[in-house]
Coordinates of all heavy atoms in Angstrom, one line a residue:
M860 N -33.8 -2.4 69.4 CA -32.4 -2.8 70.1 C -31.3 -2.3 69.1 O -30.3 -1.9 69.5 CB -32.4 -4.2 70.5 CG -31.1 -4.5 71.2 SD -31.1 -3.7 72.8 CE -30.0 -4.6 73.6
V861 N -31.6 -2.8 67.8 CA -30.4 -2.5 66.9 C -30.3 -1.0 66.8 O -29.1 -0.6 66.6 CB -30.7 -3.2 65.5 CG1 -29.8 -2.7 64.4 CG2 -30.8 -4.7 65.7
M862 N -31.3 -0.3 66.6 CA -31.2 1.2 66.5 C -30.6 1.9 67.7 O -29.7 2.7 67.4 CB -32.6 1.8 66.3 CG -32.7 3.2 66.1 SD -31.9 3.7 64.6 CE -32.3 5.4 64.5
S863 N -30.8 1.4 68.9 CA -30.1 1.8 70.1 C -28.6 1.6 70.0 O -27.8 2.5 70.4 CB -30.7 1.3 71.2 OG -32.1 1.7 71.4
V864 N -28.3 0.4 69.6 CA -26.8 0.1 69.4 C -26.2 1.1 68.5 O -25.1 1.5 68.6 CB -26.6 -1.4 69.0 CG1 -25.2 -1.7 68.8 CG2 -27.1 -2.1 70.4
L865 N -26.7 1.2 67.3 CA -26.2 2.0 66.1 C -26.2 3.4 66.6 O -25.2 4.1 66.3 CB -27.0 1.9 64.9 CG -26.9 0.5 64.2 CD1 -28.0 0.5 63.0 CD2 -25.6 0.3 63.6
T866 N -27.1 3.9 67.4 CA -27.1 5.2 67.9 C -26.0 5.5 68.9 O -25.3 6.4 68.8 CB -28.4 5.6 68.5 OG1 -29.5 5.4 67.6 CG2 -28.5 6.9 69.1
A867 N -25.7 4.5 69.7 CA -24.6 4.6 70.6 C -23.3 4.6 70.0 O -22.3 5.4 70.4 CB -24.7 3.4 71.8
I868 N -23.2 3.8 69.0 CA -21.8 3.8 68.2 C -21.7 5.1 67.4 O -20.5 5.6 67.4 CB -21.7 2.5 67.3 CG1 -21.7 1.3 68.2 CG2 -20.5 2.6 66.4 CD1 -21.8 0.0 67.5
G869 N -22.7 5.5 66.7 CA -22.5 6.6 65.8 C -22.4 7.9 66.5 O -21.9 9.0 66.0
A870 N -23.0 8.0 67.8 CA -23.0 9.3 68.5 C -21.8 9.7 69.1 O -21.5 11.0 69.4 CB -24.2 9.3 69.4
A871 N -20.9 8.8 69.4 CA -19.8 9.1 70.2 C -18.7 9.8 69.5 O -18.0 10.7 70.1 CB -19.1 7.9 70.8
G872 N -18.6 9.7 68.3 CA -17.6 10.5 67.5 C -17.9 11.9 67.2 O -17.0 12.6 66.7
V873 N -19.2 12.3 67.2 CA -19.4 13.7 66.9 C -20.1 14.3 68.0 O -21.2 13.9 68.5 CB -20.5 13.7 65.7 CG1 -21.0 14.9 65.3 CG2 -20.1 12.8 64.6
P874 N -19.4 15.3 68.6 CA -20.0 16.1 69.6 C -21.4 16.7 69.3 O -21.4 17.4 68.4 CB -19.1 17.1 70.1 CG -17.7 16.7 69.4 CD -18.1 15.8 68.2
G875 N -22.4 16.5 70.2 CA -23.7 16.9 69.8 C -24.4 16.1 68.8 O -25.5 16.5 68.4
G876 N -23.9 15.2 68.3 CA -24.5 14.3 67.3 C -25.5 13.3 67.8 O -26.2 12.7 67.0
S877 N -25.7 13.2 69.0 CA -26.6 12.3 69.7 C -28.1 12.8 69.7 O -28.9 12.0 69.7 CB -26.2 11.9 71.0 OG -26.2 13.0 71.9
I878 N -28.2 14.1 69.5 CA -29.7 14.7 69.6 C -30.5 14.3 68.5 O -31.5 13.7 68.8 CB -29.4 16.2 69.7 CG1 -28.5 16.7 70.9 CG2 -30.9 16.9 69.7 CD1 -29.1 16.3 72.1
P879 N -30.1 14.4 67.2 CA -31.0 13.8 66.1 C -31.2 12.4 66.2 O -32.3 11.9 66.0 CB -30.3 14.2 64.8 CG -29.2 15.2 65.2 CD -28.9 15.0 66.6
L880 N -30.2 11.5 66.6 CA -30.4 10.2 66.7 C -31.3 9.8 67.9 O -32.1 8.8 67.8 CB -29.0 9.5 66.9 CG -28.0 9.6 65.7 CD1 -26.7 9.2 66.1 CD2 -28.6 8.9 64.5
L881 N -31.2 10.5 68.9 CA -32.0 10.3 70.2 C -33.5 10.6 69.8 O -34.4 9.9 70.3 CB -31.6 11.3 71.2 CG -32.2 11.0 72.6 CD1 -32.0 9.6 73.1 CD2 -31.6 12.0 73.7
V882 N -33.8 11.6 69.0 CA -35.1 11.9 68.7 C -35.7 10.9 67.8 O -37.0 10.3 68.0 CB -35.2 13.3 67.7 CG1 -36.6 13.5 67.1 CG2 -34.8 14.5 68.6
G883 N -34.8 10.2 66.9 CA -35.3 9.0 66.2 C -35.7 7.9 67.1 O -36.8 7.1 66.8
V884 N -34.9 7.7 68.1 CA -35.2 6.4 69.1 C -36.5 6.7 69.7 O -37.2 5.9 69.9 CB -33.9 6.3 69.9 CG1 -34.3 5.3 71.0 CG2 -32.8 5.7 69.1
L885 N -36.5 8.1 70.2 CA -37.8 8.5 71.0 C -39.1 8.3 70.1 O -40.0 7.6 70.7 CB -37.7 9.8 71.5 CG -36.7 10.1 72.7 CD1 -36.6 11.5 73.0 CD2 -37.1 9.4 73.9
T886 N -39.0 8.7 69.0 CA -40.3 8.5 68.1 C -40.5 7.1 67.8 O -41.6 6.7 67.6 CB -40.2 9.2 66.8 OG1 -38.9 8.9 66.2 CG2 -40.1 10.8 67.1
M887 N -39.5 6.3 67.7 CA -39.8 4.8 67.5 C -40.6 4.1 68.7 O -41.2 3.2 68.5 CB -38.4 4.0 67.4 CG -37.9 4.0 66.0 SD -36.4 3.0 65.6 CE -36.1 2.1 67.0
F888 N -40.4 4.7 69.9 CA -41.1 4.2 71.0 C -42.3 4.9 71.4 O -42.8 4.7 72.4 CB -40.1 4.1 72.2 CG -39.0 3.1 72.1 CD1 -37.7 3.4 71.8 CD2 -39.2 1.7 72.3 CE1 -36.8 2.4 71.6 CE2 -38.4 0.7 72.1 CZ -37.1 1.0 71.9
G889 N -42.7 5.8 70.4 CA -44.0 6.5 70.8 C -43.9 7.8 71.4 O -44.9 8.4 71.7
V890 N -42.8 8.3 71.9 CA -42.6 9.6 72.6 C -42.5 10.5 71.5 O -41.7 10.5 70.6 CB -41.2 9.4 73.4 CG1 -41.0 10.7 74.1 CG2 -41.3 8.3 74.4
P891 N -43.2 11.5 71.7 CA -43.2 12.7 70.6 C -41.8 13.4 70.6 O -41.1 13.4 71.6 CB -44.2 13.8 71.1 CG -44.8 13.3 72.4 CD -44.2 11.8 72.7
G892 N -41.5 13.9 69.5 CA -40.0 14.5 69.2 C -39.8 15.7 70.2 O -38.7 16.0 70.7
E893 N -40.9 16.3 70.7 CA -40.7 17.4 71.7 C -40.4 17.0 73.0 O -39.9 17.7 73.9 CB -42.1 18.2 71.8 CG -42.6 18.8 70.6 CD -43.3 18.0 69.6 OE1 -43.9 16.8 70.0 OE2 -43.3 18.2 68.4
G894 N -40.4 15.6 73.3 CA -39.9 15.0 74.6 C -38.4 15.2 74.7 O -37.9 14.9 75.8
I895 N -37.8 15.5 73.7 CA -36.2 15.7 73.7 C -35.8 16.8 74.6 O -34.7 16.8 75.2 CB -35.7 15.9 72.3 CG1 -34.2 15.8 72.2 CG2 -36.0 17.3 71.7 CD1 -33.7 14.3 72.5
A896 N -36.8 17.7 74.9 CA -36.4 18.9 75.8 C -36.2 18.5 77.2 O -35.5 19.1 77.8 CB -37.7 19.9 75.7
I897 N -36.8 17.4 77.5 CA -36.5 16.8 78.9 C -35.1 16.2 79.0 O -34.4 16.4 80.0 CB -37.6 15.7 79.2 CG1 -38.9 16.2 79.3 CG2 -37.3 15.0 80.5 CD1 -40.0 15.2 79.3
V898 N -34.6 15.8 77.9 CA -33.2 15.0 77.9 C -32.2 16.1 77.7 O -31.0 15.9 78.0 CB -33.3 13.9 76.8 CG1 -31.9 13.2 76.8 CG2 -34.5 12.9 77.1
L899 N -32.5 17.2 77.0 CA -31.4 18.0 76.6 C -30.5 18.7 77.8 O -29.3 18.8 77.7 CB -31.8 19.3 75.9 CG -32.3 19.0 74.4 CD1 -33.0 20.3 73.8 CD2 -31.2 18.5 73.6
G900 N -31.1 18.8 78.9 CA -30.3 19.3 80.1 C -29.3 18.4 80.5 O -28.2 18.8 81.0
V901 N -29.5 17.0 80.5 CA -28.6 16.1 81.0 C -27.7 15.6 79.8 O -26.6 15.2 80.2 CB -29.4 14.9 81.6 CG1 -28.5 13.8 82.0 CG2 -30.3 15.3 82.8
D902 N -28.1 15.6 78.7 CA -27.4 15.1 77.5 C -26.1 15.8 77.3 O -25.1 15.2 76.8 CB -28.2 15.1 76.2 CG -27.5 14.4 75.2 OD1 -27.2 13.1 75.4 OD2 -27.2 14.9 74.1
R903 N -26.0 17.1 77.6 CA -24.8 17.9 77.4 C -23.6 17.3 78.2 O -22.7 17.1 77.7 CB -25.0 19.3 77.8 CG -23.9 20.2 77.3 CD -23.8 20.3 75.8 NE -22.7 21.1 75.6 CZ -22.0 21.0 74.4 NH1 -22.2 20.1 73.6 NH2 -20.9 21.9 74.3
I904 N -24.0 17.0 79.5 CA -23.0 16.3 80.4 C -22.5 15.0 79.8 O -21.4 14.6 79.8 CB -23.3 16.3 81.8 CG1 -23.6 17.7 82.3 CG2 -22.3 15.5 82.7 CD1 -24.4 17.7 83.5
L905 N -23.5 14.3 79.5 CA -23.2 12.9 79.1 C -22.5 12.9 77.6 O -21.6 12.1 77.3 CB -24.6 12.1 78.7 CG -25.4 11.7 80.1 CD1 -26.6 11.2 79.7 CD2 -24.7 11.0 80.9
D906 N -22.9 13.8 76.8 CA -22.1 14.1 75.5 C -20.7 14.4 75.7 O -19.8 13.8 75.1 CB -22.9 15.1 74.7 CG -22.3 15.3 73.4 OD1 -22.2 14.2 72.7 OD2 -22.1 16.4 72.8
M907 N -20.3 15.3 76.6 CA -19.0 15.6 76.9 C -18.2 14.3 77.5 O -17.1 14.1 77.1 CB -18.8 16.8 77.9 CG -19.3 18.0 77.4 SD -19.0 19.4 78.3 CE -20.2 19.2 79.6
S908 N -18.9 13.6 78.2 CA -18.3 12.3 78.7 C -18.0 11.3 77.6 O -16.9 10.7 77.6 CB -19.1 11.7 79.8 OG -19.2 12.6 81.0
R909 N -19.0 11.1 76.7 CA -18.8 10.2 75.6 C -17.7 10.7 74.7 O -16.9 9.8 74.2 CB -20.1 10.1 74.8 CG -21.3 9.2 75.4 CD -22.4 9.0 74.4 NE -23.0 10.4 74.0 CZ -24.1 10.8 74.5 NH1 -24.7 10.2 75.6 NH2 -24.5 11.9 74.0
T910 N -17.7 12.0 74.5 CA -16.6 12.4 73.6 C -15.2 12.2 74.1 O -14.2 11.8 73.4 CB -16.8 13.9 73.2 OG1 -18.1 14.1 72.5 CG2 -15.7 14.5 72.3
T911 N -15.1 12.5 75.4 CA -13.7 12.2 76.2 C -13.3 10.8 76.1 O -12.2 10.5 75.8 CB -13.9 12.8 77.7 OG1 -14.3 14.1 77.7 CG2 -12.5 12.5 78.4
V912 N -14.2 10.0 76.4 CA -13.9 8.5 76.4 C -13.5 8.1 74.9 O -12.6 7.3 74.7 CB -15.0 7.7 76.9 CG1 -14.9 6.3 76.7 CG2 -15.2 8.0 78.4
N913 N -14.3 8.6 74.0 CA -13.9 8.2 72.6 C -12.6 8.8 72.1 O -11.8 8.0 71.6 CB -15.1 8.9 71.7 CG -14.9 8.5 70.2 OD1 -14.5 7.3 69.9 ND2 -15.1 9.5 69.3
V914 N -12.2 10.1 72.5 CA -11.0 10.6 72.1 C -9.7 9.7 72.8 O -8.7 9.4 72.2 CB -10.8 12.0 72.5 CG1 -9.4 12.5 72.4 CG2 -11.8 12.8 71.6
C915 N -10.0 9.4 74.1 CA -8.9 8.7 74.9 C -8.8 7.2 74.3 O -7.8 6.9 74.0 CB -9.4 8.5 76.3 SG -9.2 10.0 77.2
G916 N -9.9 6.6 73.8 CA -9.8 5.4 73.1 C -9.0 5.4 71.8 O -8.3 4.5 71.5
D917 N -9.3 6.4 71.1 CA -8.6 6.6 69.7 C -7.3 6.8 70.0 O -6.5 6.3 69.2 CB -9.4 7.8 69.1 CG -10.8 7.5 68.6 OD1 -11.2 6.4 68.5 OD2 -11.5 8.4 68.1
L918 N -6.9 7.6 70.9 CA -5.4 7.9 71.2 C -4.8 6.7 71.7 O -3.5 6.3 71.2 CB -5.3 9.0 72.2 CG -5.6 10.4 71.8 CD1 -5.5 11.3 72.9 CD2 -4.7 10.8 70.7
S919 N -5.4 5.8 72.6 CA -4.8 4.6 72.9 C -4.6 3.5 71.9 O -3.6 3.0 71.8 CB -5.7 3.9 74.1 OG -5.7 4.8 75.2
A920 N -5.7 3.5 71.0 CA -5.5 2.6 69.9 C -4.5 2.9 68.9 O -3.7 2.1 68.5 CB -6.9 2.5 69.2
T921 N -4.4 4.3 68.7 CA -3.3 4.8 67.7 C -1.9 4.4 68.2 O -1.0 4.1 67.5 CB -3.6 6.2 67.5 OG1 -5.0 6.5 67.0 CG2 -2.5 6.8 66.4
T922 N -1.9 4.8 69.6 CA -0.5 4.6 70.2 C -0.2 3.0 70.1 O 1.0 2.8 69.8 CB -0.6 5.1 71.6 OG1 -0.9 6.4 71.6 CG2 0.8 4.9 72.3
W923 N -1.1 2.2 70.4 CA -0.9 0.7 70.4 C -0.4 0.2 69.0 O 0.6 -0.5 68.9 CB -2.0 0.0 70.9 CG -1.7 -1.5 71.0 CD1 -1.1 -2.1 72.0 CD2 -2.1 -2.5 70.1 NE1 -1.1 -3.5 71.7 CE2 -1.8 -3.7 70.5 CE3 -2.7 -2.3 68.9 CZ2 -1.8 -4.9 69.8 CZ3 -3.1 -3.6 68.2 CH2 -2.6 -4.8 68.7
V924 N -1.2 0.7 68.1 CA -0.8 0.3 66.7 C 0.6 0.9 66.2 O 1.3 0.1 65.6 CB -2.0 0.7 65.7 CG1 -1.5 0.6 64.2 CG2 -3.3 0.0 65.9
A925 N 0.8 2.2 66.5 CA 2.1 2.7 66.1 C 3.2 2.0 66.8 O 4.3 1.8 66.2 CB 2.2 4.2 66.5
K926 N 3.1 1.6 68.1 CA 4.2 1.0 68.8 C 4.3 -0.5 68.2 O 5.4 -1.0 68.1 CB 3.9 0.9 70.2 CG 4.1 2.1 71.0 CD 3.8 2.0 72.4 CE 5.0 1.1 73.2 NZ 4.9 1.1 74.6
S927 N 3.2 -1.2 67.8 CA 3.2 -2.5 67.3 C 4.0 -2.5 66.0 O 4.5 -3.6 65.6 CB 1.9 -3.2 67.3 OG 1.1 -2.6 66.4
E928 N 3.8 -1.4 65.3 CA 4.4 -1.2 63.8 C 5.8 -0.7 63.9 O 6.5 -0.4 62.9 CB 3.6 -0.5 63.0 CG 2.1 -1.0 62.7 CD 2.1 -2.2 61.7 OE1 3.1 -2.3 60.9 OE2 1.4 -3.2 62.0
D929 N 6.4 -0.5 65.2 CA 7.7 0.1 65.4 C 7.9 1.6 64.6 O 8.9 1.9 64.1 CB 8.8 -0.8 64.8 CG 9.0 -2.0 65.6 OD1 8.7 -1.9 67.0 OD2 9.4 -3.1 65.1
M930 N 6.7 2.3 64.8 CA 6.7 3.5 64.2 C 6.7 4.7 65.3 O 6.8 5.9 64.9 CB 5.6 3.8 63.3 CG 5.5 2.9 62.2 SD 4.3 3.3 60.9 CE 4.8 4.7 60.3
W931 N 6.8 4.3 66.5 CA 6.7 5.3 67.5 C 7.2 4.7 68.8 O 7.0 3.5 69.2 CB 5.2 5.7 67.9 CG 5.1 6.7 69.0 CD1 5.4 8.0 68.8 CD2 4.7 6.5 70.3 NE1 5.1 8.7 70.0 CE2 4.9 7.8 70.9 CE3 4.5 5.4 71.0 CZ2 4.6 7.9 72.3 CZ3 4.2 5.5 72.5 CH2 4.3 6.7 73.0
T932 N 8.0 5.4 69.5 CA 8.5 5.1 70.8 C 8.3 6.3 71.8 O 8.2 7.3 71.4 CB 10.0 4.8 70.8 OG1 10.8 6.1 70.4 CG2 10.4 3.6 69.9
P933 N 8.1 5.9 73.1 CA 7.8 7.0 74.1 C 8.9 8.1 74.2 O 8.6 9.2 74.6 CB 7.7 6.2 75.5 CG 7.4 4.8 75.1 CD 8.0 4.6 73.8
D934 N 10.1 7.7 73.9 CA 11.1 8.7 73.9 C 11.0 9.8 72.8 O 11.8 10.8 72.8 CB 12.6 8.1 73.9 CG 12.8 7.3 72.7 OD1 11.8 6.8 72.1 OD2 14.0 7.1 72.5
Q935 N 10.2 9.7 71.9 CA 10.0 10.7 70.9 C 9.1 11.9 71.5 O 9.1 12.8 70.7 CB 9.2 10.1 69.7 CG 10.2 9.2 68.9 CD 9.3 8.4 67.8 OE1 8.2 8.2 67.9 NE2 10.1 8.1 66.8
I936 N 8.6 11.8 72.5 CA 7.8 12.8 73.2 C 8.7 13.9 73.8 O 9.7 13.6 74.5 CB 6.9 12.3 74.4 CG1 5.9 11.5 73.7 CG2 6.2 13.5 75.0 CD1 5.0 10.7 74.8
P937 N 8.6 15.1 73.2 CA 9.6 16.2 73.9 C 9.3 16.5 75.3 O 8.3 16.3 75.8 CB 9.3 17.5 72.9 CG 7.9 17.1 72.4 CD 7.8 15.7 72.3
A938 N 10.3 16.8 76.1 CA 10.2 17.2 77.4 C 9.5 18.6 77.5 O 9.5 19.3 76.5 CB 11.6 17.4 78.1
P939 N 8.7 18.9 78.5 CA 8.0 20.2 78.5 C 8.9 21.4 78.3 O 8.5 22.3 77.7 CB 7.3 20.2 80.0 CG 7.2 18.8 80.5 CD 8.6 18.1 79.7
G940 N 10.1 21.4 78.8 CA 10.9 22.6 78.6 C 11.4 22.7 77.1 O 11.5 23.7 76.6
Q941 N 11.5 21.6 76.4 CA 12.0 21.6 75.0 C 10.9 22.1 74.1 O 11.1 22.8 73.2 CB 12.3 20.1 74.5 CG 13.6 19.5 75.2 CD 13.8 18.2 74.8 OE1 12.9 17.4 74.5 NE2 15.0 17.8 74.7
L942 N 9.6 21.7 74.6 CA 8.4 22.1 73.7 C 8.4 23.7 73.8 O 8.1 24.4 72.7 CB 7.2 21.5 74.2 CG 6.0 21.6 73.4 CD1 6.2 21.0 71.9 CD2 4.8 20.9 74.1
V943 N 8.4 24.4 74.9 CA 8.4 25.7 75.1 C 9.5 26.4 74.3 O 9.3 27.5 73.7 CB 8.3 26.1 76.5 CG1 8.4 27.8 76.6 CG2 7.0 25.6 77.0
A944 N 10.7 25.9 74.5 CA 11.9 26.4 73.9 C 11.8 26.4 72.3 O 12.3 27.4 71.8 CB 13.2 25.8 74.4
S945 N 11.3 25.4 71.8 CA 11.3 25.3 70.3 C 10.3 26.2 69.8 O 10.2 26.5 68.6 CB 11.0 23.9 70.0 OG 9.7 23.4 70.4
A946 N 9.3 26.6 70.6 CA 8.1 27.4 70.1 C 8.6 28.9 70.0 O 7.9 29.6 69.3 CB 6.9 27.4 70.9
R947 N 9.7 29.3 70.7 CA 10.1 30.7 70.7 C 11.0 30.9 69.5 O 11.7 30.0 68.9 CB 11.0 31.0 71.9 CG 10.2 30.8 73.2 CD 11.1 31.2 74.4 NE 10.4 31.0 75.5 CZ 10.9 30.7 76.8 NH1 12.2 30.6 76.8 NH2 10.2 30.5 77.8
P948 N 10.8 32.2 68.8 CA 11.5 32.6 67.7 C 13.0 32.7 67.9 O 13.5 33.0 68.9 CB 11.0 33.7 67.1 CG 10.0 34.4 68.2 CD 9.9 33.2 69.2

C-alpha cells in the first residue's frame, strides 16, 4: 500500500514517469514485468490526465500563495490585445 501511494505521488510530476514505477508495483504483486504491455495502451491517456491535474494544481497553489503574500493581483495579467501588440517589433 505504501509503495502504491508513493508511486501515485511521484508519478504525477513527470510525464511518462509512471511506467518504471508501475513495473515495480506489478512485480511486487507477482505480475511479470512483461505484463506492463497490457497497461501501456491505457496509461498514456491516464498519464496526460494526471499531468494536466498536476499542472493546474501547481498553478492554483502558486497563485494563492502569491496573492496571500501581496505579490500578485489579477490586474497584472495583460489583456489579449496588449500581449500581441507588445510582441511585435
Side-chain angles (χ1 to χ4, degrees):
M860 183 67 161
V861 172
M862 181 64 173
S863 295
V864 170
L865 290 175
T866 301
I868 292 170
V873 180
S877 63
I878 302 300
L880 298 172
L881 189 57
V882 171
V884 171
L885 287 175
T886 55
M887 272 186 9
F888 288 103
V890 178
E893 295 80 26
I895 192 74
I897 298 170
V898 181
L899 283 178
V901 178
D902 187 61
R903 187 69 179 153
I904 297 167
L905 296 174
D906 187 44
M907 288 187 284
S908 301
R909 282 191 299 264
T910 303
T911 302
V912 170
N913 186 37
V914 168
C915 289
D917 290 348
L918 288 172
S919 299
T921 302
T922 303
W923 183 81
V924 169
K926 282 182 76 171
S927 70
E928 297 290 325
D929 292 328
M930 298 192 66
W931 181 81
T932 58
D934 58 339
Q935 291 175 326
I936 299 174
Q941 291 174 334
L942 191 60
V943 173
S945 65
R947 293 183 184 152

